[in-house]
Short mmCIF file of all heavy atoms in Angstrom, two decimals:
data_model
loop_
_atom_site.label_atom_id
_atom_site.label_comp_id
_atom_site.label_asym_id
_atom_site.label_seq_id
_atom_site.Cartn_x
_atom_site.Cartn_y
_atom_site.Cartn_z
N GLY A 1 95.99 106.62 116.43
CA GLY A 1 95.90 105.34 115.74
C GLY A 1 94.63 105.28 114.92
O GLY A 1 94.17 106.28 114.40
N GLY A 2 94.06 104.09 114.81
CA GLY A 2 92.79 103.92 114.13
C GLY A 2 92.89 103.87 112.62
O GLY A 2 93.97 103.74 112.05
N GLY A 3 91.75 103.93 111.98
CA GLY A 3 91.65 103.82 110.54
C GLY A 3 91.14 102.45 110.13
O GLY A 3 90.60 101.69 110.95
N GLN A 4 91.35 102.12 108.88
CA GLN A 4 90.83 100.87 108.33
C GLN A 4 91.77 100.38 107.23
O GLN A 4 92.41 101.19 106.56
CB GLN A 4 89.43 101.09 107.77
CG GLN A 4 88.72 99.83 107.29
CD GLN A 4 87.33 100.13 106.77
OE1 GLN A 4 87.12 101.05 106.00
NE2 GLN A 4 86.35 99.33 107.20
N MET A 5 91.84 99.07 107.05
CA MET A 5 92.56 98.49 105.93
C MET A 5 91.62 97.55 105.19
O MET A 5 90.88 96.78 105.81
CB MET A 5 93.79 97.71 106.38
CG MET A 5 94.60 97.17 105.21
SD MET A 5 95.98 96.07 105.63
CE MET A 5 96.78 96.93 106.93
N LEU A 6 91.63 97.65 103.86
CA LEU A 6 90.83 96.77 103.02
C LEU A 6 91.78 95.89 102.22
O LEU A 6 92.73 96.38 101.61
CB LEU A 6 89.98 97.57 102.04
CG LEU A 6 89.09 98.67 102.61
CD1 LEU A 6 88.36 99.40 101.49
CD2 LEU A 6 88.12 98.11 103.63
N ILE A 7 91.52 94.58 102.21
CA ILE A 7 92.28 93.63 101.41
C ILE A 7 91.28 93.00 100.45
O ILE A 7 90.38 92.26 100.86
CB ILE A 7 92.96 92.57 102.29
CG1 ILE A 7 93.90 93.24 103.29
CG2 ILE A 7 93.71 91.56 101.41
CD1 ILE A 7 94.43 92.32 104.36
N CYS A 8 91.41 93.31 99.18
CA CYS A 8 90.44 92.86 98.17
C CYS A 8 90.71 91.40 97.83
O CYS A 8 91.84 91.03 97.52
CB CYS A 8 90.56 93.74 96.94
SG CYS A 8 90.36 95.50 97.32
N VAL A 9 89.65 90.58 97.88
CA VAL A 9 89.82 89.14 97.69
C VAL A 9 88.99 88.57 96.53
O VAL A 9 89.22 87.42 96.14
CB VAL A 9 89.54 88.35 98.99
CG1 VAL A 9 90.55 88.71 100.07
CG2 VAL A 9 88.12 88.56 99.48
N TYR A 10 88.05 89.33 95.97
CA TYR A 10 87.25 88.80 94.88
C TYR A 10 86.60 89.94 94.10
O TYR A 10 86.10 90.91 94.70
CB TYR A 10 86.16 87.86 95.40
CG TYR A 10 85.35 87.23 94.29
CD1 TYR A 10 85.75 86.04 93.70
CD2 TYR A 10 84.19 87.84 93.83
CE1 TYR A 10 85.02 85.49 92.65
CE2 TYR A 10 83.46 87.30 92.80
CZ TYR A 10 83.88 86.12 92.21
OH TYR A 10 83.16 85.57 91.18
N GLY A 11 86.54 89.80 92.79
CA GLY A 11 85.78 90.71 91.94
C GLY A 11 86.44 92.06 91.74
O GLY A 11 87.65 92.22 91.90
N GLU A 12 85.60 93.03 91.39
CA GLU A 12 86.06 94.39 91.13
C GLU A 12 85.21 95.38 91.91
O GLU A 12 84.01 95.18 92.07
CB GLU A 12 85.97 94.71 89.64
CG GLU A 12 86.91 93.87 88.80
CD GLU A 12 86.88 94.28 87.34
OE1 GLU A 12 86.76 95.49 87.05
OE2 GLU A 12 86.96 93.38 86.50
N GLY A 13 85.86 96.44 92.36
CA GLY A 13 85.16 97.45 93.14
C GLY A 13 85.81 98.81 93.01
O GLY A 13 86.69 99.03 92.17
N TRP A 14 85.39 99.69 93.90
CA TRP A 14 85.88 101.08 93.91
C TRP A 14 86.14 101.53 95.34
O TRP A 14 85.48 101.10 96.28
CB TRP A 14 84.85 102.01 93.29
CG TRP A 14 84.64 101.77 91.84
CD1 TRP A 14 83.64 101.03 91.26
CD2 TRP A 14 85.46 102.23 90.77
NE1 TRP A 14 83.79 101.02 89.90
CE2 TRP A 14 84.90 101.74 89.57
CE3 TRP A 14 86.62 103.01 90.70
CZ2 TRP A 14 85.45 102.02 88.32
CZ3 TRP A 14 87.17 103.28 89.46
CH2 TRP A 14 86.59 102.78 88.28
N TYR A 15 87.10 102.45 95.46
CA TYR A 15 87.39 103.14 96.72
C TYR A 15 87.61 104.59 96.36
O TYR A 15 88.29 104.90 95.37
CB TYR A 15 88.66 102.57 97.38
CG TYR A 15 89.17 103.45 98.49
CD1 TYR A 15 88.56 103.44 99.73
CD2 TYR A 15 90.24 104.32 98.30
CE1 TYR A 15 89.00 104.26 100.76
CE2 TYR A 15 90.69 105.15 99.32
CZ TYR A 15 90.07 105.11 100.54
OH TYR A 15 90.50 105.94 101.55
N GLN A 16 87.06 105.49 97.16
CA GLN A 16 87.27 106.91 96.91
C GLN A 16 87.35 107.69 98.20
O GLN A 16 86.55 107.47 99.12
CB GLN A 16 86.13 107.47 96.05
CG GLN A 16 86.35 108.92 95.65
CD GLN A 16 85.28 109.42 94.68
OE1 GLN A 16 84.20 108.84 94.54
NE2 GLN A 16 85.59 110.52 94.02
N GLU A 17 88.33 108.58 98.26
CA GLU A 17 88.44 109.54 99.36
C GLU A 17 87.82 110.84 98.90
O GLU A 17 87.89 111.20 97.72
CB GLU A 17 89.91 109.76 99.74
CG GLU A 17 90.54 108.54 100.36
CD GLU A 17 92.00 108.76 100.79
OE1 GLU A 17 92.51 109.90 100.69
OE2 GLU A 17 92.61 107.77 101.21
N TRP A 18 87.25 111.56 99.84
CA TRP A 18 86.59 112.83 99.56
C TRP A 18 87.56 113.76 98.82
O TRP A 18 88.69 113.94 99.25
CB TRP A 18 86.14 113.46 100.88
CG TRP A 18 85.27 114.65 100.70
CD1 TRP A 18 85.64 115.95 100.79
CD2 TRP A 18 83.87 114.65 100.43
NE1 TRP A 18 84.57 116.77 100.57
CE2 TRP A 18 83.46 115.99 100.35
CE3 TRP A 18 82.93 113.64 100.23
CZ2 TRP A 18 82.15 116.36 100.09
CZ3 TRP A 18 81.62 114.01 99.97
CH2 TRP A 18 81.24 115.35 99.90
N GLY A 19 87.11 114.32 97.71
CA GLY A 19 87.91 115.28 96.96
C GLY A 19 88.97 114.66 96.06
O GLY A 19 89.75 115.39 95.43
N LYS A 20 89.02 113.33 95.97
CA LYS A 20 90.01 112.65 95.13
C LYS A 20 89.30 111.76 94.13
O LYS A 20 88.15 111.37 94.33
CB LYS A 20 90.95 111.81 96.00
CG LYS A 20 91.81 112.64 96.92
CD LYS A 20 92.80 111.77 97.66
CE LYS A 20 93.68 112.60 98.59
NZ LYS A 20 94.63 111.75 99.32
N PRO A 21 89.99 111.39 93.03
CA PRO A 21 89.38 110.47 92.08
C PRO A 21 89.18 109.08 92.68
O PRO A 21 89.93 108.66 93.56
CB PRO A 21 90.37 110.40 90.92
CG PRO A 21 91.48 111.33 91.23
CD PRO A 21 91.30 111.83 92.63
N ALA A 22 88.18 108.36 92.18
CA ALA A 22 87.93 106.98 92.63
C ALA A 22 89.04 106.07 92.13
O ALA A 22 89.58 106.27 91.04
CB ALA A 22 86.57 106.50 92.12
N ARG A 23 89.35 105.07 92.93
CA ARG A 23 90.39 104.08 92.60
C ARG A 23 89.71 102.75 92.30
O ARG A 23 88.96 102.23 93.13
CB ARG A 23 91.34 103.95 93.79
CG ARG A 23 92.38 102.87 93.63
CD ARG A 23 93.26 102.79 94.88
NE ARG A 23 93.99 101.53 94.88
CZ ARG A 23 94.65 101.05 95.93
NH1 ARG A 23 94.69 101.73 97.07
NH2 ARG A 23 95.28 99.90 95.84
N HIS A 24 89.99 102.19 91.13
CA HIS A 24 89.46 100.89 90.75
C HIS A 24 90.18 99.82 91.55
O HIS A 24 91.41 99.84 91.67
CB HIS A 24 89.66 100.66 89.24
CG HIS A 24 89.14 99.36 88.77
ND1 HIS A 24 89.95 98.33 88.38
CD2 HIS A 24 87.86 98.90 88.64
CE1 HIS A 24 89.22 97.31 88.01
NE2 HIS A 24 87.95 97.62 88.17
N LEU A 25 89.44 98.85 92.09
CA LEU A 25 90.01 97.79 92.92
C LEU A 25 89.74 96.42 92.31
O LEU A 25 88.69 96.21 91.70
CB LEU A 25 89.40 97.82 94.32
CG LEU A 25 89.57 99.10 95.13
CD1 LEU A 25 88.79 99.01 96.42
CD2 LEU A 25 91.04 99.40 95.38
N LYS A 26 90.70 95.52 92.51
CA LYS A 26 90.54 94.13 92.08
C LYS A 26 91.20 93.24 93.12
O LYS A 26 91.94 93.73 93.99
CB LYS A 26 91.15 93.91 90.70
CG LYS A 26 92.62 94.22 90.62
CD LYS A 26 93.11 94.22 89.19
CE LYS A 26 94.57 94.50 89.06
NZ LYS A 26 95.14 95.54 89.87
N ALA A 27 90.95 91.94 93.03
CA ALA A 27 91.53 90.99 93.99
C ALA A 27 93.04 91.17 94.05
O ALA A 27 93.70 91.30 93.02
CB ALA A 27 91.17 89.57 93.59
N GLY A 28 93.56 91.22 95.27
CA GLY A 28 94.98 91.41 95.51
C GLY A 28 95.34 92.83 95.89
O GLY A 28 96.43 93.07 96.42
N ASP A 29 94.46 93.80 95.64
CA ASP A 29 94.73 95.18 96.03
C ASP A 29 94.54 95.37 97.52
O ASP A 29 93.70 94.72 98.15
CB ASP A 29 93.81 96.15 95.28
CG ASP A 29 94.14 96.29 93.81
OD1 ASP A 29 95.27 95.93 93.42
OD2 ASP A 29 93.27 96.77 93.06
N VAL A 30 95.31 96.30 98.09
CA VAL A 30 95.22 96.66 99.50
C VAL A 30 95.01 98.16 99.58
O VAL A 30 95.67 98.92 98.87
CB VAL A 30 96.49 96.25 100.26
CG1 VAL A 30 96.44 96.73 101.71
CG2 VAL A 30 96.70 94.74 100.21
N VAL A 31 94.08 98.58 100.43
CA VAL A 31 93.81 100.00 100.64
C VAL A 31 94.04 100.31 102.11
O VAL A 31 93.43 99.70 102.98
CB VAL A 31 92.36 100.36 100.25
CG1 VAL A 31 92.09 101.84 100.47
CG2 VAL A 31 92.05 99.94 98.83
N ASN A 32 94.95 101.25 102.37
CA ASN A 32 95.19 101.71 103.74
C ASN A 32 94.47 103.04 103.91
O ASN A 32 94.76 104.00 103.20
CB ASN A 32 96.69 101.90 103.97
CG ASN A 32 97.41 100.58 103.98
OD1 ASN A 32 97.29 99.82 104.93
ND2 ASN A 32 98.13 100.29 102.91
N ILE A 33 93.52 103.08 104.83
CA ILE A 33 92.69 104.26 105.04
C ILE A 33 93.06 104.87 106.39
O ILE A 33 92.77 104.27 107.44
CB ILE A 33 91.20 103.90 105.01
CG1 ILE A 33 90.87 103.12 103.72
CG2 ILE A 33 90.34 105.15 105.15
CD1 ILE A 33 89.53 102.43 103.74
N PRO A 34 93.70 106.03 106.39
CA PRO A 34 94.04 106.66 107.66
C PRO A 34 92.79 107.06 108.43
O PRO A 34 91.71 107.25 107.84
CB PRO A 34 94.82 107.91 107.25
CG PRO A 34 95.21 107.70 105.82
CD PRO A 34 94.16 106.80 105.24
N ALA A 35 92.93 107.19 109.71
CA ALA A 35 91.83 107.69 110.54
C ALA A 35 91.45 109.09 110.06
O ALA A 35 92.28 109.83 109.53
CB ALA A 35 92.26 107.73 112.00
N ASN A 36 90.18 109.42 110.24
CA ASN A 36 89.65 110.75 110.00
C ASN A 36 89.60 111.16 108.53
O ASN A 36 89.55 112.34 108.22
CB ASN A 36 90.43 111.80 110.83
CG ASN A 36 90.48 111.42 112.29
OD1 ASN A 36 89.44 111.13 112.90
ND2 ASN A 36 91.67 111.36 112.86
N VAL A 37 89.60 110.18 107.62
CA VAL A 37 89.50 110.44 106.19
C VAL A 37 88.12 110.00 105.70
O VAL A 37 87.74 108.83 105.86
CB VAL A 37 90.61 109.69 105.40
CG1 VAL A 37 90.37 109.78 103.90
CG2 VAL A 37 91.98 110.26 105.77
N LYS A 38 87.38 110.92 105.10
CA LYS A 38 86.05 110.61 104.57
C LYS A 38 86.22 109.81 103.27
O LYS A 38 86.98 110.22 102.38
CB LYS A 38 85.28 111.91 104.32
CG LYS A 38 83.83 111.72 103.97
CD LYS A 38 83.12 113.08 103.90
CE LYS A 38 81.65 112.93 103.63
NZ LYS A 38 80.98 114.25 103.62
N HIS A 39 85.49 108.69 103.16
CA HIS A 39 85.65 107.79 102.02
C HIS A 39 84.43 106.89 101.86
O HIS A 39 83.56 106.86 102.72
CB HIS A 39 86.91 106.92 102.21
CG HIS A 39 86.78 105.96 103.36
ND1 HIS A 39 86.91 106.35 104.67
CD2 HIS A 39 86.47 104.65 103.39
CE1 HIS A 39 86.72 105.31 105.46
NE2 HIS A 39 86.45 104.25 104.70
N TRP A 40 84.42 106.15 100.74
CA TRP A 40 83.42 105.09 100.52
C TRP A 40 84.11 103.97 99.75
O TRP A 40 85.16 104.16 99.15
CB TRP A 40 82.18 105.60 99.78
CG TRP A 40 82.42 105.97 98.34
CD1 TRP A 40 82.79 107.19 97.87
CD2 TRP A 40 82.30 105.11 97.20
NE1 TRP A 40 82.92 107.14 96.51
CE2 TRP A 40 82.62 105.88 96.07
CE3 TRP A 40 81.97 103.77 97.03
CZ2 TRP A 40 82.61 105.36 94.77
CZ3 TRP A 40 81.96 103.24 95.74
CH2 TRP A 40 82.27 104.04 94.63
N HIS A 41 83.47 102.78 99.73
CA HIS A 41 83.96 101.66 98.94
C HIS A 41 82.78 100.76 98.60
O HIS A 41 81.77 100.75 99.30
CB HIS A 41 85.09 100.88 99.64
CG HIS A 41 85.00 100.80 101.12
ND1 HIS A 41 84.55 99.69 101.78
CD2 HIS A 41 85.31 101.71 102.08
CE1 HIS A 41 84.60 99.90 103.09
NE2 HIS A 41 85.05 101.12 103.30
N GLY A 42 82.94 100.01 97.51
CA GLY A 42 81.88 99.10 97.11
C GLY A 42 82.19 98.45 95.78
O GLY A 42 83.28 98.58 95.24
#
């Protein structure tokens, strides 16, 4: 199990998994992050 879910509620941001392109985020976007995946957001 495990992992994380992000539900974007305001503004604009970024999410990126290691070795993949960054994904632009805005209010209404949902990010499902599986367990054991290296990533950042902001």
Side-chain angles (χ1 to χ4, degrees):
Q4 186 179 46
M5 183 187 313
L6 308 178
I7 301 169
C8 305
V9 296
Y10 183 88
E12 295 184 37
W14 294 98
Y15 167 78
Q16 185 175 18
E17 292 182 4
W18 189 260
K20 294 185 180 179
R23 174 181 164 192
H24 180 251
L25 301 174
K26 60 190 181 318
D29 288 342
V30 175
V31 180
N32 291 287
I33 307 166
N36 307 309
V37 171
K38 189 173 183 178
H39 67 283
W40 70 270
H41 34 102

